[in-house]
Structures are given as C-alpha cells and as structure tokens.
Amino acid sequence: MPRVSMRDVLIEAGQKVLHERGYAATTVQDIAAVAGVPKGSFFNHFGTKEAFAALALERYVSEWEAGLAGLMDNDSLPILQRVTLLIDAVSNRVMAAGARDGCLVGNLGIEVTGASEPLRQQLSEAFRRWRAPLAGALARAQARGEIAMTVEAAAMADFIQNGLQGALLRAKVDRTSASINQFKMIMLELLGR
C-alpha cells in the first residue's frame, strides 16, 4: 500500500478547513491541527498560506473539472439531463455539508480577489476551465437542434456558472437548497424553449 504524503494530508485537511471557514479565518495552526501534524510541517511543504491555498484550490478545481468533463462529454444523455445532473450534484454536495460551505471557488472569489492577485488570477482561470466542457456540450446540443438556444454556447455556459454561484451563495445564507432548485427549474425552462 503506497504511503500517503504529509503534503497530501495537509492539502486535504486544509482544503476542508478553507472551505468551511474561509481564507481569512483559517490559520496555519488550524490546518496543522486538522491534519494532525506539527505546525512546522506546514511551512516545510508550502512556505505561505497563499501558496497552500493555491494548491488546495487547484485540487478542488481539478476534481470538479474532471467530473464536469465526464458528464458533459457524455453525448448519449440529452443536454437537459446533463445540466440537471450537474446542478443536482452541486446541490447534493452543498446540502451534505448543511449548506454551510458553498463552492470553494466562489467563496475565495468573494474573499481574496482584492488581497491576492495570484489567487484572483487562479480563480478566474478556474471559471474558464469549468466553462469549457459545459460550453462544448451546449454547442453540440445546439448544433443538433436539441436546444433552441440563440446565444453562443460560451456565453450560456458563463450564465449557468454565474447563476449557480449566486444560487449557492443564497443556499448558504438561507441554509436550504430552495435557491438551487429554483435556479435549476428556470435554467431548464430557458434551455428547453
């Protein structure tokens, strides 16, 4: 059985802490405590909290990107079903955490974009990365006449991401999935016209 690296343990534990508490409220001590390692181990692997956040963010973005690409590349499913599955996956993950943590990209986007230019750029790139598989699926569905969308696929993919981020924020505030469900209903109506 391969040995788990201390770096990976810190990233996994710290990602959870960042997600739950946010960037400003998360200390290096918090991350080390959750990981069950000495505080010095953190600095040996990352140097700064910003460097750590960049790696934790990359892991989060990559995991969601892989899942999104797998779902959106499955042209055997109708596009409305794929969009439904995407929104439901996001909703299920958020509700499993009691609607307390939302999306790490959205949370950090609200919190760090004025304080860290490297993280702001990474967050902007995350949205572009997530847009690509969704825009591709929408464009293919549009070309097949599966949806009667009159805007370009990339713009619709951005619109879906932006609306979903807003619904996630509202879910955090209200501690319910009602905003996500409402977003899904309206988005499917728009795409299904």
Side-chain angles (χ1 to χ4, degrees):
M1 187 163 154
R3 188 174 161 185
V4 178
S5 79
M6 182 70 63
R7 183 175 184 269
D8 287 341
V9 169
L10 281 161
I11 291 173
E12 185 175 331
Q15 183 182 19
K16 290 176 186 171
V17 176
L18 271 178
H19 210 154
E20 291 170 4
R21 299 181 192 171
Y23 185 80
T26 296
T27 67
V28 170
Q29 183 60 46
D30 294 333
I31 296 167
V34 170
V37 302
K39 186 176 174 180
S41 293
F42 178 92
F43 291 109
N44 288 338
H45 290 283
F46 309 108
T48 66
K49 186 169 109 173
E50 183 181 45
F52 163 79
L55 292 169
L57 179 60
E58 176 55 33
R59 178 179 282 186
Y60 181 87
V61 170
S62 293
E63 289 169 357
W64 276 97
E65 182 180 29
L68 181 60
L71 176 61
M72 290 301 145
D73 288 346
N74 184 356
D75 285 337
S76 68
L77 296 176
I79 190 65
L80 294 181
Q81 185 178 354
R82 285 181 276 168
V83 170
T84 298
L85 289 169
L86 167 63
I87 297 169
D88 287 347
V90 170
S91 180
N92 291 340
R93 201 219 48 82
V94 167
M95 294 314 297
R100 296 187 186 289
D101 58 7
C103 171
L104 183 60
V105 172
N107 294 349
L108 289 176
I110 291 168
E111 192 175 4
V112 303
T113 55
S116 170
E117 181 59 18
L119 286 176
R120 186 205 63 75
Q121 290 176 6
Q122 187 178 0
L123 290 162
S124 182
E125 180 61 23
F127 284 120
R128 282 191 292 278
R129 286 169 59 184
W130 287 350
R131 174 183 55 205
L134 181 55
L138 289 166
R140 291 187 306 276
Q142 189 176 30
R144 288 190 304 267
E146 192 179 332
I147 52 176
M149 195 171 70
T150 58
V151 299
E152 71 174 34
M156 182 57 81
D158 280 339
F159 184 75
I160 291 170
Q161 284 190 109
N162 296 343
L164 191 51
Q165 285 295 325
L168 287 169
L169 176 61
R170 183 70 185 268
K172 282 177 60 174
V173 170
D174 295 340
R175 297 283 196 258
T176 174
S177 63
S179 60
I180 301 170
N181 295 335
Q182 182 184 56
F183 170 75
K184 179 174 71 173
M185 178 188 68
I186 294 170
M187 182 52 54
L188 294 174
E189 165 104 11
L190 287 172
L191 288 173
R193 287 185 179 173

